[in-house]
Amino acid sequence: MTERPPMRAARAGVFTSVCLAVSAGGHAAASGHGVPLIGLVAGAVLVFLSAWAGSGRERGLGAITAWMLWGQLALHLLYSVATSSTTHGGHDPGSVAAGAEAMASASGSGGMLGLHLLAAAVCAWWLRQGEAALFGYLRLVAAALLPLLLVVLPRLHPPVRPARPQAPSRPRPSTPYLRHSLVLRGPPVTP
């Protein structure tokens, strides 16, 4: 079942909000400092665009887990780089030293990376349950409305009757139609 843009946007928005909230909360709790606003905005845009691309149809647990793992790891890297560049305000963000420090802090501890992976697994399971419920509901609505449509639609459009087969055309007689008829009745005879 493919989706129309409003439904795709809603699904991508839910995926983005879950992914962003869990990763930002876990990242802030594990690192001891908050995630900068620029990191949150960039992460929201990145995850929403990728979720929009992946929300064209119903996805299984494996696909949702893969998208969530990618999102958590990308957000971990993005948050670490954003945090490193804002906390080291004395460095030029474009300099090689700032980039090296950002990558070193982005690797983070194994515990933080493990928390992101755990969050990805739990959120993927939770999102799959919601996805299954949503598509189950849509199938139920479609199954309930289909009989009604079958009853209503024939009344809206009259049934199309097949065209009657045409008899092969015969040549027209060149003589008058009643040439061999005998008229036995006529006007009354007056005496």
Side-chain angles (χ1 to χ4, degrees), residues 4-105:
R4 295 186 183 270
M7 183 62 82
R8 283 183 78 176
R11 290 177 58 220
V14 168
F15 182 87
T16 301
S17 64
V18 168
C19 190
L20 206 65
V22 168
S23 68
H27 192 88
S31 67
H33 49 75
V35 177
L37 183 61
I38 189 72
L40 289 173
V41 171
V45 169
L46 178 72
V47 173
F48 183 82
L49 291 176
S50 66
W52 174 271
S55 66
R57 61 182 177 89
E58 182 178 6
R59 302 288 178 181
L61 182 61
I64 293 174
T65 303
W67 282 91
M68 186 60 78
L69 284 171
W70 174 89
Q72 288 293 322
L73 292 176
L75 288 173
H76 168 71
L77 181 65
L78 185 68
Y79 293 162
S80 296
V81 169
T83 302
S84 171
S85 65
T86 57
T87 57
H88 297 83
H91 292 287
D92 178 22
S95 71
V96 175
E101 286 180 28
M103 290 312 281
S105 69

Side-chain angles (χ1 to χ4, degrees), residues 158-183:
V160 178
R161 295 183 182 164
R164 253 173 80 177
Q166 296 280 335
S169 63
R170 291 180 265 173
R172 273 194 113 141
S174 60
T175 57
Y177 182 67
L178 299 173
R179 188 178 102 173
H180 297 290
S181 38
L182 179 62
V183 179

